[in-house]
Every structure is written in structure tokens, then in C-alpha cells.
Amino acid sequence: MHTANRLAEFSFLLALIFTRPARGDIALVPSDQGYFGAWLLAGPLRGAVAQATDIDAALPALNAPLSHAPWVRFRLLASKAAVDLVTQLPVTPQDGAYALAAGWISLAQDLDGWLLVSADGGVAVSVDGTTRFKRDVARIRGRSWDAIPLRLDKGRHKLVLWLHQYGKHWAFEARVLECATLLPPRDMRWVLPEAGPQEGEALAASMLSLEVDSGLDARAYYPHLELAYARGVPESAPLEVVTTGRLNGRVTFETRLGRMVVGARGVEPLEAVLPPVQATILDEGARRFELGVTIGTMNRSATLHLSRRDIALAGRSEAWLERLRAKRVPDGWDAETLATTLEARLEKIRKAALMEQPWELSQDETRLEELLKLLDAGRDPAREPGILDLYRASTLDGSPQPISVHVPTGYRAGADRRYPLVVLLHGYNGTPRSVLTAFLGSAGSSPSAGVDGFVVAPFAHGNTFYRGPGEQSVLDTLDWVLRTYPIDSERVSISGVSMGGTGAARIGLMYADRFAAAAPLCGYHSYFLGRDLKGLELRPWEQALAHHWSSASWAERGRNLPLYVAQGTKDFPLENSRVLVRRYQDLGYAVEQEWPDIGHNVWEVAYAGGRMWPWLTRHHHQTNPKHVSVKTDSLRYGSLSWVHITGLEHPGSMSELDAMVTDPSTVVLRASGVEALSLDRPAALSGRELQIEANGERLTFEAMEAVKLYRESGRWHKGERQSNPQRKRPGLEGPIFDVFQGPLVVVYGTVDPAFTRANREVAEVLAGFELGSEVALPVVADRDFDVAQASDRSWVLVGSPKSNRVLGALAQSLPIQLDGDAIAVGLRRYFGAGVGATFVYPNPKNGHYLLVVLAPSAAGIWRALSVPRLLPDFFVYDDSVANTPSPQVLGPARALAAGFFNNDWSLPKNFDDPRSKTP
């Protein structure tokens, strides 16, 4: 750095610290979460200019030039959320550009705190001319934070972020919190030098968020208003709030809500329920209601479409909901599904009132009215021929999940006829109705003349790729359809498109004894082909888990499941489908394939005119096939038909069991990686002595003897090995992801203020499952947690034994614990910045899962948001986990420790020796 630059910076710092703020400076009050949403930005920087940039020497002020590139100047930007640099700067995904984002932290008292930064790609942090942190990897930030210790004296301190673009995603956000409370420092301000009052007014206007809810109920509309400066507000901004309601230009109310509160810890959001809009002043048709909000000189407005008709519909709906919840309905009606559907449709009316186009509201009103008319007429809305858009409550989070059902023309409740069923899975960002429309070739509500049977399209909890919650949604929907309609259980098939094609192959193979055929279209059948894994070395557990999520790795299970695979020849890579087709062909299994000259939307050809229906429904599932092949790395998927793997030699590793009836009294078994198994006697073998030939060993079972075998000392034995109540079992065996296959409650610790915010934020992320999904698991504070009410579900515990009272009560019974500032795994101890652990284990309180996120510091808790998805039973990490460029696997990052627990949930042997090599 040049001496002249050093002197200039020193003079600038003196002026800022020992003089009053320049007249044009903008001082921002942070949000109540410590965010800074306005920045001075310089960029994009490229090539030699970027390489010559010294972030420690930069002097941020509005319109101030960079010393080595005077044509590049700092400009002002603001955001209500993370700052998206792709929209702020002229860059393309290929640029690999750089930028500086800066400002000055003004502190009223000394700070022992955290600077939290979340950024795509590379980031470096300079404070007062010294680089404090640097990470330069092609990483997608997701929802994770880099927690940088920040110890500063009161006064002003320069903060500069150096940002490096690595692709199409390039955004960042930052905030400052105290270590002791995880609250914003008292009276902290974020200063942007040389920005004048005009810029301050523009910032205030652009950083304000306004959310409105219509508040519809059976009596009136009660509009609900929320105003927030979620990323801070200029200190000089006027914050007095006045709201005005106008119907047809006539003022119906004017309400002063007072001043948005700027406390010592930041600006707080304002919520208010406004005066009601009564039915007596509304017409039957939707009327424009203008809600105006004035804050100083700023004016905001929202338009609501309100009508007397909707209040009446809400009244009728609430009356029916009372009857349905009390089950005062005719026998055979599914009161729970009908109540969920009615609630969801009423909620759509509430939300549609905020739509820009009133016709959207009219559509939802019509659907709700039709539902109510059927109920009033005593007709079951779930059994009407046609396309039914229903909702069912999720067994995981209780949320209303949409399902679309095709009920054939000839169906009559109570008739003897049984129908075929196709389960249909939508694609990424798709819906049940969209995939059903593609399958039937019609967007109408009438039943298809060419589809003489039932079709059901469940929802995948968003973009889950039919894993975890998405898989459970399919299974729950299938069970519901089989209970509700007269389905021929031997003619149930599954199909799907894109993400749904992936799900159709995966679920079809995992549950091959429930389906007669599967037709996956343009799916992704090998995890190893994904961009996230390209060029990365995989750990053993990552290899195993990548196989777990690859349909092609489970193809052996499809011996009795015919496939129809289709993909367009312009949809690259073609290997996405070829890998599954080729594996089926190698095994000699039944597979048909179609490769039209088209791109990804192959369903336009494969589904055209309902042409897939005959193929899917002509197959019949074999109830007791003579030859069954089971391949699995999990006891959850250890059964097919009459064959059951009940014990794995190596948890998390693939095992195989091939069972074939060779004559009326003999079954030949070939097993690999299997520790224990059992067989249901096929109908042809019941009531007679049975010979089992297992890997060349012969065992005889009497006519009424249960067929159970286990392997010990290299030989097969009859019966079961000695029972162990702590032994892994289906639904309680890991890995970490497996916990999301059942009902959960997420509990964050509140005992220690130095952890509480971090605990809660990580808990809220876990409750949302993963980006792109629509999952909302219940989140509760430990002080509000009711052990008895949660006895039927798994628990996710976030914090430390001292910060989470629920975890503290269980800590001594867990195999991974805190030991001071270290994570203790067996006899080994792991230290370091951001150290923490996540693991699954049986809950000693109820026999379901515990998923624990454990760390000795808030930084370690936040760092849990950086761990990749492919994790075994336990994983110990530190700050280096943030260096992975993939959300799936570690790549160049490191694991301090990771692995699968043994079958009895004990640690692997190498953790008994503190000197052994880290696995």
C-alpha cells in the first residue's frame, strides 16, 4: 500500500472519529436483528484492476473513487433483503467479477460481538484497515453465516467487504450482534459518508416493507397491516404512520398508528389490525378497497378486492367446518379431508383479495361456492366424477397439501367394481393439477373419456425431489386413495415428469411390491451425474449416500416392476435416463424406452392424448412372485413382498438378498451384506416343511416354524439373534436425513442469551427442511416444550446442554457431548473455531429419533447451516466446512469426524482410541 494512501486514510479516520458527522452523512438505525441493508458499492472490478485492489486502503464515501482506478466510484444501494449484486451490477455468470461493499460502524460503547456475513462465492472482510477474514471458494451461501469475532472500541470503524463472483448467484448480507445477548449493540449506527438528505429519503422509501392481510371472517374484513424496516432505516426518516381506507374513492377510515419504534437495539416492525370493513357497505361483486399508508412524506398503498359475497361464503364455510370437525356428516365421508379442503379454499379467498386481478378472486370464489353447494346438497365432494382438487393435512407438519384426483365417469360410491390407479408426480415448481392436466391432455374439470380409472397427483412438499417429506407425502396419499376409492390393488402404477420422473423411479423401486409398473419421464437417476458432485472426491459415506439417492443403484429391486422410460434427445445429458435403462437391461428386467426428438418437455409426447394410460394399467402386480430381489442400505427399505432383510452387516452400506422358489418346498437365497432375514411363506409353501438354501448352506424349517435366519461366525443359523432393545430398526437407524421421514418438532434453547438467537435461527431453517421445499415443521422454545404432547414424534434439539434445557436433561445419555469448548466423541476431543456436531440417536424418552445440533458457541451453532446434505449418522465440523463449493458434499472442506453408528448405536471402534486417525 502506498504511503500517500495510508496518510489519506489516517486523516479521513481522524476526521470521522473526532469531528461531528459531515452534513451529508447518512446514519442508519439497524434492524432489530442487526442488519445493514444500505451500502456503498464499488464495482464491478475485473482483471488487473481487481487484482490491484487493496481493500484495507479503500476509503468508502458516496462518489469517492478507488485510488488505483479513479473511474470506479462508490455508489449507494439498498435492499429489503440480501443484496443481489447480479441485479445491481452489469455482470454475467461467466464474469467472475469483484466488488467492494462498505460503510462505517458507529458504536456508542465498546463491543464484544459478532460480524455475521453471508455471501455467495468469495468474501473477505476488512475492519479499520486490517483484513480479518477471507474465504475465496465457489460456494452458494444458502442460509449459512460466517461468524467473525468483532472486538471494537466505541467510535467509528471502517468495514469493507470484498466480494468475488463465482456464477449466476451473487448476493450478500451482513449484520452485527453482541456476543452476550445476540442482540444489536445499543445505539449502533451504520454510517454512509457524503450521502445527502435526498439519498436518505430514497433509502427510507426503498427499504420499507408493507404486508397486508384481508382479515376475512364470517362478520367482516379486518385488514391486518405490518410495516417493517427489516434491513434498517435512515435515522432522520420520519416514522409517524397514518393509514387511510377508501372504498370507491370514499374514505371509510383514517387511523393514526403512532410512530414506528426506534429502540436502543434497532427499529422494530409495526403491526396493526385496522378498523373493520362491514358487509353493509359492500356489494356482491368484488370492490376495490384502497389502503393508503403515509410515513412522513412517503406514501404506500395496497389494493384489496372485497365483497359482501365473500363474507357470506366465509360464514357458510365456518358453519360447515364446525360440522366436519365434529364429524356430524353422513357415514363414509372423509370429514378430515373435506375440512382441510374447505379451510384451504377459504384461505385462498383471503389471499386472493390481495391479487392485482379480481378475476383470480372470482375463480377461487367459484371453487369455494361449488364445494359448499355439494355439501349443502348432501353430496360427498370427494366422490364426484371429474377432476377434484382436494387438500389433505400433512402427517409431518399439519399443513394443507393439495392433491388432484381424476374420478372416472362411471364411478358410483358403493358399487362393486374396482378400478386401476395411476399415481402421478409433478416436476420442479409444478403442481398436482399441472401434471394431471398434462397426463389427461385437458385442463377442464370433466372426467376423461379415455381414462377409465383413478389418477391421483400428490404434492411433493415443494421441490423435495420426493425425498423425506416428499416421499412420505406420496405414501400417505396412496394409502388415502386405497382407503377412499375402490382400487384394484394389483393395478396400481406410478409415473412422473422431471423431478417427478426421479420420484417415480425411486419410489417405484423402493416400494416395488406396491406398484404394477412405473413410467419415469426425463428424470435424474444417478446422483453421480449432478453438477454438484462433478470433479469432487467423495468420502466413503458420501459415496454410499449418493448411491442411496440414485435410482439406478436400486434397480435390482425392480425384478417384478416393468419400466417405461422416456427422455428427449435434446435433453442433455441423455445419461440421466440411460443409466437406469442400461442397468435394467443388464439385469434382464422388462424396460421400454422412448427417445423423441424434443427437449426436456418429453411429457408432451409421452402423455399426449392419454396414451400412457393403457400401458400403465395393463400390468398386474404379482402378489407372491416366485423370484424376489431386495437391495438396500437401510432397514426402512429392507422388505419386498415376502422377503425381509432384518439386519445389515454394515449400517449405511448396500446389502442384497435374492430369494427364489425353485420347487414346491425349496427356497434358494443369495445374500451379501445381510446379517439377519426372515421370509413370509408364499401361499404355495404354506403348511409344509421348507428347505432353505442360503449361500450354499441348507436349513430345514418345520411346517409351522417361522422362517428366520441370522448370520454369525460365518454361518447361517435358524431363529433370531439375542434381542437388543437399543438395536437399529426400520425408521430408527439413521442417517441424519432419515429423521425427516416422520413427524417432528424442533426445539431451540433459550436458557443462555448468548445462544438463543442462533439456536432459534438454526431451528427455523431446519424446520423448513431445505431450500425449495414447502415444509413448516413446528418450532418451539425449550421453555414451552411439552414432553408428553411430543411423545409420538421425533425431536430436533438445537443448542448446548447449558442453553437448551431439553438437551441438557438428555445430554449424559448421548454418545456425543460437550466437554468445555470441545466436542467429545468417545475418547476423542475436537476443538476449533466454529466447532460443532450434528447427529441422530434414539430418544430415550419415547423411542423415536433425536436429531441434535450441538456446539460450544453461537458461531458453532450458526455454522451448522453450512454442512452439506449427504451426511451419515454423525458429523463433527468446524469453520472449514464453509469451504465446500457444493451443498451436497464436502469437496475440499474437511470433517473432523463422521460415520455411521454400529447396529447397537455404539460408536465405531476407532473412537475408543484418542490417538487413532480421524475418520
Side-chain angles (χ1 to χ4, degrees), residues 38-42 60-62 74-77 100-104 191-193:
W39 293 80
L40 296 168
L41 179 71
L62 184 62
F74 282 100
R75 64 182 180 85
L76 197 62
L77 65 87
L100 300 181
W104 299 76
V191 180
L192 304 174

Side-chain angles (χ1 to χ4, degrees), residues 72 192 196 198 243 302 391 447 486 513 573 605 677 760 783 912:
V72 181
L192 304 174
Q198 186 174 353
T243 63
Y391 291 80
D513 53 353
V605 174
L677 64 92
R760 187 187 71 245
R783 60 176 176 265
D912 294 336

